[in-house]
Amino acid sequence: MYKHSPSPYVLVLAGSASLAIAMGVGRFAFTPILPMMLHDGVLDLSRAGELATANYVGYLAGALAAMAVPRRWDHTFVIRVTLVSTVLLTALMAAPYAEAWVALRFLAGVASAIGFVFTSGWCLAQLSGTGSSIGSAIFTGPGAGITVSGLAASGMTILGLTGHAAWLVFAALSAIISAVIWRTFGRSSRPSDAYSVGTSTRASGKVPKSELPLFAIAYGLAGFGYIVTATYLPVIAKNSIPGSPLLTVFWPLFGVAAVVGSLLAARVKNSVDVRLHLIAAYLVQAVGVGLPVIWQDGFGLALSSVLVGLPFTAISFFAMNEVRRIRSSHHARYMGLLTAVFAIGQIVGPPAVGVIMGHVTSVDDGFDLALAVASIALVVGAAIYIAMILLFPSERAARRPGHTVRQN
């Protein structure tokens, strides 16, 4: 017998907070702390790339593990384990044992991916059938976490605190938030693998086998496309406008934009093919990623932060709901698959930057080339969605005169 489900607003707040810890801290706290650690002299850009890659590899491993978790397991137990793990792994980064940092960032990535898949799936399952249209609001969590971590890191930089202290502060904040939301993640009132938010499953006909692989490739390109900005934004800003008082603004601005993007995603029309929303999101992000190549002052970097951040979590929301149309059952498994492919795209990012840096004459030229390549990857992803719309019309297109759904 399941307990009564919390109200939709409580679910959204708890889900958002859980994702803020899993993603905003477990994944992205390293980005605003990186300049502090560079200043402390405890690592260089090459070592920073190794730590970032370890986290992304862990994210891939976590996504694969999420696919293998038995459906009979209580998803809320898994969510609680990821919350505790993130707090502990974040705190351990403050230990003066640099040789352990790679392992810690790897495990933090594992916890992040599992937390993302199971928090998203469980919360959307509980919202199913409630008549609530606020499901996408749980995806404000990563943006909120990024914003808070960025502002906190800015404050700690002003106070002259070290990177070690920053890790402890983030661990403490995560522990407090986890304690507040802990009771919300009780046993669910409905199965976690049967949710429906914002889209409808394909009602008739078999789904072409090639549709999901194409969709996964396009989603993986999004992982590669944004990761250079998400990993190195504070460093890029520091190189472009050294000494500027705006240096600590760009990362929090990215987070605020991600929150706004999630809220806007909740207002899109359900009658429109979700892939059109994804195309628009990819193109907006492509412009944002490539903008610092040609516009390197404070305003250009601020606009880049906004344009990259706006579609950041909205892309995840649209993609996770599109899975329902492509695969009408075993959602957690396919969410894990998409998350794994996304992680592969992210893993390629930091090593690619390292390779590029080894073939250019300056750091600025290296970042410019890396950002240009990432922007092109997002355009290619958008082109794949355009091809999918032509090859695999959705049931919404089939309902318009003159359109039929292809059957394979």
Side-chain angles (χ1 to χ4, degrees):
M1 176 66 79
Y2 293 115
K3 296 179 181 179
H4 178 69
S5 179
S7 73
Y9 292 102
V10 172
L11 284 169
V12 166
L13 289 173
S16 177
S18 178
L19 292 182
I21 293 170
M23 305 293 287
V25 176
R27 288 286 314 287
F28 294 117
F30 179 65
T31 299
I33 293 177
L34 174 57
M36 301 172 70
M37 297 180 75
L38 292 172
H39 180 268
D40 296 339
V42 296
L43 82 172
D44 54 22
L45 277 178
S46 176
R47 180 65 170 169
E50 293 177 7
L51 295 182
T53 299
N55 187 256
Y56 305 147
V57 173
Y59 194 75
L60 170 61
L64 296 174
M67 294 172 62
V69 171
R71 294 178 63 189
R72 65 180 180 274
W73 281 23
D74 181 9
H75 287 198
T76 55
F77 171 76
V78 178
I79 294 170
R80 286 176 168 179
V81 169
T82 62
L83 291 173
V84 173
S85 299
T86 301
V87 170
L88 293 177
L89 293 167
T90 302
L92 287 172
M93 281 297 295
Y97 301 108
E99 61 274 10
W101 288 348
V102 169
L104 292 174
R105 294 308 296 157
F106 171 84
L107 293 174
V110 172
S112 294
I114 296 176
F116 174 79
V117 171
F118 281 87
T119 297
S120 302
W122 184 82
C123 288
L124 293 175
Q126 305 316 299
L127 291 167
S128 174
T130 63
S132 174
S133 61
I134 59 174
S136 72
I138 69 171
F139 291 93
T140 60
I146 288 169
T147 302
V148 172
S149 65
L151 293 174
S154 298
M156 287 183 282
T157 299
I158 294 172
L159 294 174
L161 299 182
T162 65
H164 294 306
W167 286 113
L168 289 175
V169 169
F170 287 147
L173 289 173
S174 299
I176 293 170
I177 296 171
S178 296
V180 171
I181 64 176
W182 189 263
R183 293 186 63 184
T184 303
F185 295 108
R187 189 173 288 273
S188 59
S189 61
R190 55 180 63 86
S192 297
D193 198 40
Y195 64 85
S196 171
V197 179
T199 62
S200 58
T201 57
R202 182 170 290 178
S204 63
K206 296 174 63 177
V207 178
K209 292 182 179 180
S210 57
E211 186 169 2
L212 184 60
L214 277 175
F215 183 68
I217 291 171
Y219 192 58
L221 286 170
F224 175 78
Y226 91 99
I227 202 61
V228 176
T229 300
T231 302
Y232 297 107
L233 177 58
V235 179
I236 293 171
K238 187 175 182 180
N239 288 340
S240 298
I241 48 174
S244 171
L246 297 175
L247 287 176
T248 59
V249 170
F250 303 119
W251 186 242
L253 191 59
F254 175 95
V256 171
V259 172
V260 173
S262 296
L263 297 176
L264 291 175
R267 303 181 65 85
V268 300
K269 295 181 178 180
N270 296 334
S271 59
V272 177
D273 192 321
V274 174
R275 293 169 295 187
L276 292 173
H277 301 318
L278 285 166
I279 291 168
Y282 275 48
L283 294 178
V284 168
Q285 198 166 67
V287 172
V289 169
L291 196 60
V293 177
I294 59 175
W295 196 352
Q296 299 178 344
D297 62 11
F299 189 82
L301 289 167
L303 184 57
S304 171
S305 301
V306 171
L307 293 179
V308 178
L310 271 174
F312 173 54
T313 48
I315 287 173
S316 294
F317 173 70
F318 292 139
M320 294 307 153
N321 277 297
E322 179 68 355
V323 168
R324 288 194 63 256
R325 189 185 64 81
I326 299 175
R327 291 291 185 267
S328 59
S329 62
H330 306 298
H331 301 127
R333 180 181 303 171
Y334 291 109
M335 287 171 66
L337 172 62
L338 285 186
T339 304
V341 178
F342 190 85
I344 293 172
Q346 294 177 136
I347 291 169
V348 175
V353 172
V355 170
I356 290 172
M357 290 296 181
H359 291 81
V360 296
T361 57
S362 72
V363 172
D364 289 340
D365 290 342
F367 278 131
D368 285 348
L369 181 54
L371 291 171
V373 171
S375 180
I376 291 171
L378 287 162
V379 173
V380 172
I384 292 175
Y385 287 127
I386 293 173
M388 289 179 64
I389 291 174
L390 298 175
L391 292 171
F392 315 118
S394 70
E395 67 277 6
R396 294 186 180 95
R399 287 195 290 266
R400 296 199 300 269
H403 288 264
T404 58
V405 177
R406 292 182 56 175
Q407 302 286 323
N408 279 16

